[in-house]
Amino acid sequence: QVQLVESGGGSVQPGGSLRLSCAASGFTVDHYSIGWFRQAPGKEHKGFGFISSSDNSTWYEDSVKGRFTISRDNARNTVFLQMTSLKPEETGVYSCEAAPPGHECQTAAYARWGQGDQVTVSS
């Protein structure tokens, strides 16, 4: 069964850090580009970064650039999201989603095979 299981979420104070893991089963993450998405309360489900399957290059939206880092550990079939200097508006459900290589910028190309994990940034 194809699955992506997010873990590592929780509550953190503004300015704090969290590291999310995205563990794959039923496929190998090195064959797919992995995007990270967030659905904040009252807002749309939106991607904010991805790591490519070919050369591990990454892309981030401007709002998280310099604070978030996506990495891949193919030996563990896992993708990571390191988040620093978290802001309250970045509260939401975080999910990792897979896209075929070369389709990373196409929202419709991503498949959500997990449940997501809650991140809450508050005082």
Side-chain angles (χ1 to χ4, degrees):
Q1 201 73 32
V2 175
Q3 290 184 342
L4 288 168
V5 179
E6 301 92 345
S7 63
S11 297
V12 65
Q13 292 183 327
S17 300
L18 280 176
R19 187 189 190 218
L20 301 184
S21 297
C22 171
S25 61
F27 72 102
T28 52
V29 297
D30 60 316
H31 294 333
Y32 288 84
S33 296
I34 304 296
W36 283 95
F37 293 73
R38 176 178 63 237
Q39 185 162 17
K43 296 186 177 180
E44 73 279 6
H45 178 79
K46 185 179 179 181
F48 57 83
F50 66 80
I51 184 166
S52 73
S53 63
S54 56
D55 60 0
N56 282 337
S57 62
T58 55
W59 172 87
Y60 307 93
E61 69 170 10
D62 289 341
S63 65
V64 306
K65 194 175 298 181
R67 298 187 297 112
F68 289 12
T69 302
I70 302 170
S71 61
R72 180 194 304 268
D73 187 340
N74 290 332
R76 290 194 274 171
N77 209 28
T78 301
V79 171
F80 301 97
L81 171 64
Q82 178 68 49
M83 302 182 287
T84 63
S85 301
L86 281 159
K87 303 175 181 180
E89 58 265 35
E90 291 166 344
T91 291
V93 176
Y94 285 68
S95 60
C96 56
E97 305 182 16
H103 297 265
E104 295 88 352
C105 295
Q106 302 171 240
T107 300
Y110 285 90
R112 184 173 182 176
W113 293 323
Q115 304 301 312
D117 202 10
Q118 178 71 36
V119 171
T120 302
V121 185
S122 67
S123 300

